[in-house]
C-alpha cells in the first residue's frame, strides 16, 4: 500500500498535532506505542502534519527504527521542508536507516538521491557500510547529490579511504561547491595529506592531462600555461589553436591579451618610481597632473597612487561610455574609505606616470622592465610584430569573436603577452636577489603585497588543502588570499574581446602559475585547474 494514500480525518487532526507537537519532542512524553500513529501521520495531506510527525519520530532516535521505510518514502515528498525533516529523522535513527538509504541513492528521482545523501551525512560514523554507494554517488549527474555525497564521506573520516581516488577527481568537478566539498572530505579522510612533500611534477602531469579535456568541454580554442617552482620557471605548455578561422596552433610565442593582469605589471613600475623618489604614493595625483574632468568634485583632489593601486580611489570601474572619449568621470565615494575595483583609477595613475617620466607607458615599461626581464614579445600596444603572433578571442561556443589592435596603451587592460613571459615577471617578484637595475627592493615587494584593504565583496579563489583561502585583501596592484600556509597572491583578467587569464604565486613557497586562454569560458577552465592543483 502506498503510504501517501493514507489520510488522517480532520476531526482527529487536533489530537494528532498534540502528539507530534514540538512540546512533545522537548518533554519526552511520547511512548513507543505512539509510533504507529506517527507513521500514519507521515501520509497526511497537510505538509505541516507530515513535517511534525517526522520531527517527533526523529526525536525518538534508534527506537523509531520501524518508521524508516515510511520516512524514506518522504524523501520524494513535494514539500522540501518535509524532505529535510525526514532526512534529519533518518539521521537521528541512525544505523537502521542505512540499508534503505543505500537503496535510495540509486533511485530514479534526483531529489530522493539528494536527500538520501544528506541523511547519510547526518548519520555520520554509523553509515560506514554506505561508503561504496556514496562513492558511486560522486559520479551522479546532479551537483547537489555529488556535493552531499562528498560531505557524507568526509563525515566518515578514515573509514572512507576507498573514496580517495574518486574525491580527488572531484577536485576538478564543474561545480565549485562539489570541488570544495571534495577537498573538505579529503582533509577529513586523509588528515596527513597536506603535510606531505608535494610533487610539482605530478601536479603538472595532472594539468597537462586535464587541460585538453576542459578545452573541449568549455569550447576554449587555445591555452598557454607556465609553472614556477623554487622561484623560477620549470615548465610551460601550449594547447589548441590561436584562431579557429585559420587553425593556427598555439606556440610558446603566441600572444594573448593579459586583460586586467596588465595592472600588476604597471603597479611594479609605479613601485620602482616610488623607490626612486619620483612619485609619492600618498601625495594627491592632482598635484602631479591637473586634468579638466567632469563633474567638478573637490574630493577628486584626495586621490593618491596608493588609492588607485589598492582600488580605493572611489572611481567606477569604467565611466559610462568607457575611457576613450574622455567623458564625465564621477567619484562615487570618499577616496580611501573602502574598496571598489576600478580600471579608471589605474588609467588616471598611468597618465600621472607618463607626465613624470615624459614617456608613454609602453615605451617606459619596455626600457625599464620588459626588455630587462626578457619579455621581448610583451607589449602594451599593438604593432605589426604583435599582430603576427596574436591570438584571436572566441565566444562561449568557441567561434571567432574578435582580434584586437590596441594602439593606445591602457595600464588597466591592453598588455599583450603569453604565459611564459608573464611568468618571468612573477619570477622577478619572487627572486631573493634584488640587485638587478629593474628590481624593486625586498621592502617594496613586501609593501606591494601587504594587506592594504580587506575585500568582503569577493571570495577567495577555490584551492584545495591548506591552500584554501580564508580572507581576501588587496595590496598595491594585487589581490591577496590568506591561507593556512601563508598568503597566495593572484590576479585574473577578462576582456570583452574573448580572453580570460589568471596568475598566482606564493611568496613563501616560491611557486607560481600562469594560465592564459582565448575563450570566454576560459575563466571556468582556469578555476577548475587551480581547484585541482592548488598552489602546486
Amino acid at each position: 500500500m502506498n503510504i501517501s494514500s493514507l489520510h488522517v480525518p480532520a476531526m482527529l487532526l487536533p489530537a494528532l498535532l498534540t502528539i507530534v507537537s514540538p512540546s512533545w519532542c522537548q518533554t519526552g512524553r511520547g511512548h513507543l506505542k505512539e509510533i504507529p500513529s506517527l507513521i500514519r501521520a507521515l501520509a497526511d495531506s497537510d505538509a505541516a502534519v507530515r513535517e511534525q510527525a517526522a520531527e517527533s519520530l526523529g526525536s525518538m532516535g534508534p527506537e523509531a527504527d520501524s518508521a524508516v521505510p515510511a520516512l524514506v518514502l518522504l524523501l520524494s515528498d513535494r514539500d522540501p521542508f518535509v524532505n529535510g525533516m525526514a532526512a534529519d529523522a533518518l539521521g537521528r535513527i541512525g544505523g537502521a536507516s542505512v540499508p534503505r538509504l543505500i537503496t535510495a541513492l540509486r533511485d530514479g528521482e534526483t531529489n530522493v538521491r539528494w536527500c538520501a545523501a544528506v541523511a547519510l551525512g547526518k548519520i555520520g560514523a554509523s553509515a560506514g557500510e554506505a561508503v561504496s554507494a556514496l562513492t558511486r554517488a560522486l559520479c551522479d549527474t546532479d551537483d547537489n547529490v555529488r556535493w552531499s555525497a562528498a560531505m557524507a564521506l568526509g563525515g566518515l573520516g578514515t573509514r572512507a579511504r576507498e573514496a580517495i581516488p574518486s574525491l580527488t577527481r572531484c577536485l576538478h568537478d564543474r561545480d565549485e561547491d562539489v570541488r570544495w566539498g571534495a577537498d573538505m572530505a579529503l582533509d577529513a579522510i586523509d588528515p596527513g595529506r597536506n603535510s606531505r612533500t608535494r610533487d610539482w611534477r605530478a601536479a603538472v602531469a595532472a594539468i597537462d592531462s586535464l587541460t585538453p579535456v576542459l578545452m573541449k568541454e568549455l569550447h576554449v580554442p587555445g591555452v598557454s600555461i607556465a609553472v614556477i617552482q623554487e622561484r623560477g620557471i620549470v615548465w610551460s605548455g601550449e594547447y589548441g589553436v590561436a584562431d579557429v578561422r585559420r587553425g593556427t596552433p598555439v606556440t610558446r610565442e603566441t600572444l594573448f591579451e593579459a586583460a586586467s593582469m596588465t595592472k600588476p605589471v604597471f603597479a611594479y613600475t609605479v613601485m620602482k618610481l616610488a623607490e626612486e623618489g619620483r612619485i609619492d604614493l600618498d601625495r594627491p595625483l592632482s598635484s602631479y597632473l591637473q586634468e579638466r574632468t567632469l563633474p567638478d568634485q573637490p574630493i577628486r583632489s584626495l586621490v593618491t597612487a596608493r588609492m588607485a593601486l589598492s582600488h580605493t580611489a572611489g572611481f567606477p570601474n569604467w565611466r559610462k561610455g568607457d575611457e576613450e572619449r574622455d567623458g564625465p568621470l564621477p567619484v562615487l565615494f570618499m577616496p580611501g574609505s573602502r574598496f571598489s575595483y576600478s580600471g579608471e583609477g589605474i588609467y588616471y595613475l598611468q597618465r600621472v606616470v607618463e607626465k613624470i617620466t615624459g614617456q608613454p607607458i609602453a615605451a617606459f615599461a619596455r626600457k625599464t622592465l620588459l626588455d630587462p626581464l626578457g619579455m621581448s614579445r610583451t607589449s602594451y600596444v599593438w604593432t605589426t610584430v604583435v599582430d603576427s603572433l596574436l591570438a584571436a578571442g572566441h565566444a562561449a561556443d568557441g567561434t571567432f569573436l574578435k582580434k584586437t589592435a590596441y594602439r593606445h596603451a591602457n595600464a588597466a587592460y591592453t598588455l599583450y603577452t603569453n604565459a611564459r613571459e608573464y611568468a618571468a615577471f612573477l619570477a622577478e617578484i619572487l627572486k631573493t636577489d634584488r640587485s638587478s637595475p629593474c628590481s624593486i627592493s625586498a621592502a617594496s615587494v613586501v609593501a606591494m603585497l601587504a594587506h592594504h584593504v580587506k575585500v568582503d565583496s569577493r571570495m577567495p579563489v577555490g584551492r584545495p588543502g591548506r591552500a584554501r583561502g580564508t580572507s581576501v585583501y588587496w595590496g598595491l596592484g594585487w589581490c591577496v588570499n590568506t591561507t593556512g600556509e601563508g598568503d597566495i597572491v593572484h590576479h585574473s583578467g577578462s576582456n570583452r574581446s574573448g580572453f580570460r587569464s589568471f596568475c598566482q604565486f606564493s611568496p613563501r613557497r616560491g611557486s607560481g602559475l600562469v594560465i592564459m586562454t582565448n575563450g570566454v569560458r576560459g575563466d571556468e577552465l582556469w578555476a577548475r585547474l587551480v581547484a585541482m592543483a592548488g598552489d602546486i
Side-chain angles (χ1 to χ4, degrees), residues 210-223 238-241 250 518 525:
L210 180 59
T211 298
V213 175
L214 295 178
M215 290 171 65
K216 182 177 180 180
E217 176 187 336
L218 302 171
H219 308 292
V220 176
V223 177
E238 295 77 35
Y239 308 84
V241 297
V250 173
N518 64 348
L525 183 145

Side-chain angles (χ1 to χ4, degrees), residues 26-92:
Q26 294 166 6
T27 60
R29 292 196 300 269
H31 302 285
L32 296 182
K33 65 181 181 180
E34 305 293 351
I35 291 178
S37 297
L38 292 169
I39 292 174
R40 288 194 296 273
L42 295 178
D44 193 85
S45 60
D46 189 321
V49 174
R50 299 195 301 275
E51 184 178 345
Q52 290 175 353
E55 181 180 8
S56 296
L57 287 164
S59 72
M60 295 181 182
E63 294 181 326
D65 58 353
S66 62
V68 167
L71 287 165
V72 170
L73 282 176
L74 279 194
L75 300 184
S76 63
D77 194 276
R78 62 186 177 275
D79 189 305
F81 290 99
V82 174
N83 296 157
M85 193 57 70
D88 186 69
L90 290 163
R92 288 169 176 263

Side-chain angles (χ1 to χ4, degrees), residues 371-437:
D371 281 348
L373 291 182
M375 300 171 67
S376 59
R377 298 175 184 83
T378 300
S379 176
Y380 273 93
V381 293
W382 179 93
T383 66
T384 54
V385 174
V386 166
D387 189 68
S388 67
L389 301 171
L390 182 59
H394 298 82
D397 62 358
T399 58
F400 172 80
L401 181 60
K402 191 174 185 180
K403 189 174 181 182
T404 59
Y406 298 128
R407 290 179 169 84
H408 294 83
N410 189 310
Y413 69 88
T414 65
L415 195 72
Y416 295 114
T417 188
N418 56 46
R420 194 170 182 90
E421 291 204 1
Y422 202 94
F425 167 60
L426 300 189
E428 158 63 26
I429 298 173
L430 288 169
K431 70 181 185 181
T432 55
D433 180 3
R434 313 303 306 167
S435 61
S436 170

Side-chain angles (χ1 to χ4, degrees), residues 193-246:
R193 75 184 183 114
N194 294 319
S195 60
R196 301 187 192 108
T197 301
R198 282 169 287 191
D199 182 1
W200 65 266
R201 293 173 182 83
V204 164
I207 289 172
D208 193 42
S209 63
L210 180 59
T211 298
V213 175
L214 295 178
M215 290 171 65
K216 182 177 180 180
E217 176 187 336
L218 302 171
H219 308 292
V220 176
V223 177
S224 175
I225 303 176
V227 171
I228 295 171
Q229 288 290 304
E230 297 181 357
R231 307 181 192 279
I233 301 170
V234 295
W235 177 85
S236 63
E238 295 77 35
Y239 308 84
V241 297
D243 188 329
V244 295
R245 299 172 301 172
R246 299 178 175 85

Side-chain angles (χ1 to χ4, degrees), residues 53-291:
E55 181 180 8
S56 296
L57 287 164
S59 72
M60 295 181 182
E63 294 181 326
D65 58 353
S66 62
V68 167
L71 287 165
V72 170
L73 282 176
L74 279 194
L75 300 184
S76 63
D77 194 276
R78 62 186 177 275
D79 189 305
F81 290 99
V82 174
N83 296 157
M85 193 57 70
D88 186 69
L90 290 163
R92 288 169 176 263
I93 291 170
S97 303
V98 173
R100 287 185 178 270
L101 289 172
I102 290 174
T103 300
L105 281 176
R106 300 193 297 270
D107 194 272
E109 187 179 334
T110 298
N111 191 67
V112 173
R113 301 195 304 276
W114 178 10
C115 294
V118 169
L120 287 166
K122 291 176 179 290
I123 291 171
S126 298
E129 65 182 287
V131 170
S132 296
L134 287 166
T135 302
R136 288 191 298 271
L138 294 174
C139 297
D140 197 277
T141 56
D142 185 76
D143 298 343
N144 292 313
V145 177
R146 298 197 304 279
W147 149 256
S148 300
M151 298 305 291
L153 286 164
L156 290 167
T158 56
R159 299 183 65 185
R161 284 189 174 277
E162 70 177 75
I164 288 176
S166 296
L167 286 165
T168 301
R169 287 191 292 272
C170 283
L171 292 177
H172 53 82
D173 192 273
R174 64 179 176 272
D175 183 81
E176 181 178 0
D177 288 327
V178 175
R179 298 195 298 267
W180 185 86
D183 185 41
M184 291 282 289
L186 285 167
D187 282 350
I189 296 168
D190 186 14
R193 75 184 183 114
N194 294 319
S195 60
R196 301 187 192 108
T197 301
R198 282 169 287 191
D199 182 1
W200 65 266
R201 293 173 182 83
V204 164
I207 289 172
D208 193 42
S209 63
L210 180 59
T211 298
V213 175
L214 295 178
M215 290 171 65
K216 182 177 180 180
E217 176 187 336
L218 302 171
H219 308 292
V220 176
V223 177
S224 175
I225 303 176
V227 171
I228 295 171
Q229 288 290 304
E230 297 181 357
R231 307 181 192 279
I233 301 170
V234 295
W235 177 85
S236 63
E238 295 77 35
Y239 308 84
V241 297
D243 188 329
V244 295
R245 299 172 301 172
R246 299 178 175 85
T248 312
V250 173
T251 68
R252 185 174 287 190
E253 288 73 36
T254 302
L255 295 175
F256 293 73
E257 293 185 35
S260 288
M261 278 167 49
T262 305
K263 295 177 177 74
V265 177
F266 174 66
Y268 196 89
T269 301
V270 175
M271 296 302 291
K272 185 66 174 177
L273 290 172
E275 268 191 9
E276 296 170 350
R278 301 174 70 182
I279 189 170
D280 184 334
L281 296 179
D282 297 307
R283 178 178 163 184
L285 295 182
S286 59
S287 68
Y288 294 99
L289 177 65
Q290 286 285 350
E291 290 186 319

